[in-house]
Amino acid sequence: MQRRSRTLWVAEAGITLALAWVLGTFVKLWEMPFGGSVSLEMLPLFLFALRWGGYSGLLVGAAYGLLNMLPKPYILHWAQVLLDYPLPFAALGLVGYIKRPLWLALTAGTAGRFLFHFLSGIVFWASSAPEGMNPMVYSVVYNATYLLPQLAISIAFFYVLLPYAKRARILD
């Protein structure tokens, strides 16, 4: 990476982290009782991964996951921290490896995030399931309740703004 590109990468990574944090903290459409919310936080992370590639997307996503833990950390175990914070957001970087078709890339990134939250749900949050409900079913339903709307919002957002992003040479 050339010096200018490295500087641009660091600047965009910082802006991405700040924007994702603001959108995830202050622009919530609804919040789940035990964590997770429908917000716009994935949009800047997806855009960064599309611009800079998968490895950069994984790295900045993991950094966001750690940043996202700071306001209200809920820590049961070190493995739960990994499954709830850096790994799910790092998985959003999968978008940078797939890129096209865009809906598939966004779905893969969201599915990666879902997988980590699902695992955390069955390992660490099973006691939150209603009496008699299978913890796996509970984890699927709980996490899909906020991740599917976020995916739909992300797909709609990118398809509406994609022509403008291409014209402005933000995305190729």
Side-chain angles (χ1 to χ4, degrees):
M1 195 181 291
Q2 296 174 338
R3 183 165 184 82
R4 183 176 107 53
S5 294
R6 194 172 322 146
T7 304
L8 184 60
W9 186 95
V10 169
E12 285 189 22
I15 291 167
T16 297
L17 290 171
L19 188 55
W21 190 80
V22 166
L23 291 173
T25 303
F26 300 113
V27 185
K28 291 183 184 178
L29 303 177
W30 84 74
E31 194 164 0
M32 300 295 288
F34 302 112
S37 62
V38 176
S39 71
L40 305 177
E41 69 190 344
M42 294 194 317
L43 297 174
L45 298 168
F46 282 150
L47 181 59
F48 187 85
L50 287 168
R51 281 182 54 82
W52 290 96
Y55 178 76
S56 292
L58 293 171
L59 189 64
V60 170
Y64 175 71
L66 293 172
L67 180 66
N68 191 31
M69 181 177 67
L70 294 178
K72 293 189 267 182
Y74 197 88
I75 299 172
L76 300 172
H77 187 272
W78 65 266
Q80 171 262 327
V81 169
L82 293 176
L83 290 173
D84 279 342
Y85 297 105
L87 293 177
F89 290 101
L92 297 176
L94 293 172
V95 168
Y97 289 112
I98 299 170
K99 293 191 179 184
R100 300 215 191 327
L102 184 57
W103 67 266
L104 180 62
L106 298 173
T107 301
T110 305
R113 179 178 174 193
F114 173 86
L115 177 65
F116 289 112
H117 288 309
F118 168 74
L119 291 172
S120 179
I122 59 174
V123 173
F124 297 104
W125 304 105
S127 62
S128 300
E131 176 120 8
M133 183 179 224
N134 182 318
M136 291 175 72
V137 172
Y138 175 72
S139 188
V140 165
V141 170
Y142 185 90
N143 290 299
T145 299
Y146 68 93
L147 286 174
L148 286 177
Q150 278 194 275
L151 173 60
I153 289 168
S154 297
I155 290 171
F157 178 84
F158 275 98
Y159 276 101
V160 167
L161 293 181
L162 193 60
Y164 302 104
K166 285 182 177 181
R167 221 171 311 148
R169 295 186 184 187
I170 295 171
L171 293 175
D172 51 12

